[in-house]
């Protein structure tokens, strides 16, 4: 049985994710963050002081990947860590002034990337595709609102 990757939603979704990540990186070049850090930044811009566990749960990222991402973000001066007041094993993660200052640049780059992705689409086509993507995620047991 042959596998036609051009007819595979999973294969095309993977390709699209990589291309979108590269497009975001190109638009944010020199801004001071990597595309893999963008989801973490989004969560922290919505309210920092989260634990690594909370970020893992919200972003569905592997523990090792999250640990490496946070270590790099701390090294680059985007986040700081503080002891959790009631859990000696946990640390709270906060944005530094540098991490907070990236928001406008990052959001502009993300918006431009979205515009590029949907170039030539009519509004209803864009909304329909997004709804189909949420349905696909739900079919795989992933909450599409997360």
């Amino acid at each position: 049985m042959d596998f036609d990757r051009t007819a595979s939603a999973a294969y095309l979704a993977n390709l699209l994710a990589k291309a979108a990540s590269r497009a975001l990186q190109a638009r944010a070049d020199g801004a001071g963050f990597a595309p893999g850090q963008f989801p973490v930044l989004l969560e922290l811009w919505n309210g920092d002081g989260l634990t690594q566990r909370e970020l893992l749960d919200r972003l569905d990222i592997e523990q090792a990947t999250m640990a490496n991402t946070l270590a790099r973000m701390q090294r680059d001066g985007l986040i700081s860590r503080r002891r959790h007041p009631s859990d000696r094993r946990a640390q709270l993660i906060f944005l530094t002034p540098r991490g907070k200052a990236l928001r406008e640049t990052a959001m502009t780059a993300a918006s431009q990337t979205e515009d590029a992705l949907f170039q030539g689409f009519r509004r209803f086509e864009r909304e329909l595709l997004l709804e189909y993507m949420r349905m696909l995620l739900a079919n795989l047991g992933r909450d599409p609102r997360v």
Side-chain angles (χ1 to χ4, degrees):
M1 178 175 175
D2 289 336
F3 181 78
D4 180 5
R5 62 184 181 200
T6 63
S8 166
Y11 181 84
L12 293 173
N14 184 44
L15 221 71
L16 178 59
K18 288 178 185 179
S21 181
R22 287 186 190 116
L24 174 61
Q25 185 172 17
R27 284 174 175 76
D29 189 34
F33 72 95
Q37 298 169 345
F38 187 64
V40 175
L41 288 168
L42 283 173
E43 288 300 323
L44 294 173
W45 286 326
N46 285 329
D48 60 357
L50 300 174
T51 65
Q52 184 169 324
R53 175 85 259 159
E54 289 171 317
L55 287 169
L56 284 167
D57 292 343
R58 292 180 185 193
L59 298 174
D60 194 23
I61 295 174
E62 294 294 323
Q63 168 66 32
T65 302
M66 180 63 76
N68 289 334
T69 299
L70 293 174
R72 182 175 176 189
M73 292 176 77
Q74 186 171 14
R75 181 200 72 201
D76 294 344
L78 301 178
I79 62 165
S80 64
R81 300 177 199 229
R82 299 181 202 151
R83 291 188 193 272
H84 193 286
S86 60
D87 184 348
R88 294 184 344 178
R89 296 171 297 152
Q91 294 180 330
L92 299 176
I93 300 161
F94 291 89
L95 290 165
T96 62
R98 182 169 184 226
K100 290 177 184 177
L102 285 176
R103 185 175 185 173
E104 187 175 332
T105 301
M107 297 305 273
T108 298
S111 179
Q112 290 171 347
T113 302
E114 284 286 306
D115 290 345
L117 277 169
F118 286 104
Q119 184 177 348
F121 280 67
R122 292 174 286 194
R123 183 179 178 162
F124 85 92
E125 291 170 328
R126 178 181 181 150
E127 292 171 4
L128 191 58
L129 179 57
L130 291 172
E131 181 59 23
Y132 288 157
M133 292 171 80
R134 287 187 285 271
M135 290 170 66
L136 289 167
L137 287 166
N139 287 346
L140 294 176
R142 173 79 166 133
D143 185 350
R145 296 168 292 156
V146 176

